[in-house]
Amino acid sequence: RNLLTTYSPRQDFIDSLAGYMGADRQEIAEILKCFTLNGDNLDVHTSGAATTWAPLVQASAETLILPVYGLEINPFLFLLTDLRYRYEADWFRLANNREARWIAELDLLFAQPGWCTYPRNLRLREGGKEVTEIDFGGNQQASNELAVFQLKWQHPVGMDNRGRRSAGKNLVDDSNRWVETVNSWLERNGVNALMQR
């Protein structure tokens, strides 16, 4: 047990970390709140089925417990849960804008001579109804290559194997369904119809 957990006076820990990083002590104290399990966020991290791997635990007003497993296993799941709880409006604003950011990054990657890109959603329609959409497209006319992208993302899944399998299956099934839909549309309408759109 002694190898898995140690403790530190809170202020000593903050001072030493700030000194090591050359950072402001108050900023370090604020950042550490998102890595610390305490009475304020206990329900957030323990109310669900997921395992809580806390990087730091507030034992008292001036003492921190430093469980090694909290930093070794995966501190990011704890951090993401805490950030979502503390900064909910910012979290959802960034989540809602992620597709636009990723499309802008793809556009930069394809900003090479010969590539023509379409950096916005392209809705594929048939018979007046939308069949699917392409999130980003690029065409290399000299080599007659076409790249089409459908952006998918998953929320992190912790130690819940059933949840992980379900998320993975959904991602694979949705991705395969999209590939099949785009291929079927291309077979019926042709690449030229896609290029015109």
Side-chain angles (χ1 to χ4, degrees):
R1 290 181 183 169
N2 291 339
L3 294 175
L4 295 176
T5 307
T6 185
Y7 76 96
S8 173
R10 182 177 172 276
Q11 200 54 51
D12 290 354
F13 186 78
I14 291 170
D15 291 345
S16 63
L17 188 57
Y20 176 76
M21 297 184 72
D24 179 73
R25 286 173 173 78
Q26 187 58 37
E27 287 178 351
I28 292 295
E30 284 299 312
I31 291 169
L32 287 180
K33 287 180 182 177
C34 296
F35 287 97
T36 306
L37 181 66
N38 60 35
D40 295 334
N41 63 4
L42 182 64
D43 288 344
V44 171
H45 292 285
T46 60
S47 61
T51 305
T52 302
W53 303 106
L56 304 168
V57 178
Q58 182 112 29
S60 70
E62 294 305 323
T63 306
L64 293 175
I65 296 175
L66 312 174
V68 175
Y69 63 80
L71 290 172
E72 292 293 325
I73 300 291
N74 191 341
F76 301 107
L77 292 175
F78 185 92
L79 176 62
L80 290 173
T81 300
D82 207 81
L83 289 173
R84 184 175 180 170
Y85 160 71
R86 286 180 193 277
Y87 307 105
E88 189 175 26
D90 290 333
W91 176 275
F92 285 107
R93 180 178 49 79
L94 290 171
N96 291 336
N97 293 331
R98 66 186 150 199
E99 187 171 302
R101 289 193 314 272
W102 292 344
I103 288 173
E105 289 177 16
L106 281 169
D107 203 31
L108 284 174
L109 290 172
F110 282 86
Q112 300 174 23
W115 279 97
C116 174
T117 61
Y118 191 80
R120 54 192 175 275
N121 286 346
L122 173 63
R123 301 184 189 290
L124 298 183
R125 301 180 197 282
E126 276 186 324
K129 118 178 169 174
E130 182 180 323
V131 229
T132 191
E133 65 181 16
I134 295 173
D135 290 327
F136 178 88
N139 174 246
Q140 170 64 271
Q141 292 179 339
S143 60
N144 197 29
E145 290 178 283
L146 176 67
V148 293
F149 292 83
Q150 174 69 11
L151 300 174
K152 297 282 186 190
W153 57 82
Q154 291 181 286
H155 295 287
V157 179
M159 303 299 284
D160 179 10
N161 285 330
R162 186 173 169 190
R164 186 179 301 141
R165 281 193 304 272
S166 175
K169 182 182 182 316
N170 290 341
L171 178 66
V172 170
D173 290 350
D174 287 350
S175 299
N176 287 338
R177 190 169 25 259
W178 180 81
V179 169
E180 176 59 35
T181 302
V182 171
N183 281 337
S184 298
W185 190 94
L186 286 171
E187 286 171 8
R188 289 188 302 275
N189 297 281
V191 174
N192 288 337
L194 178 63
M195 294 306 297
Q196 288 172 356
R197 286 166 191 243

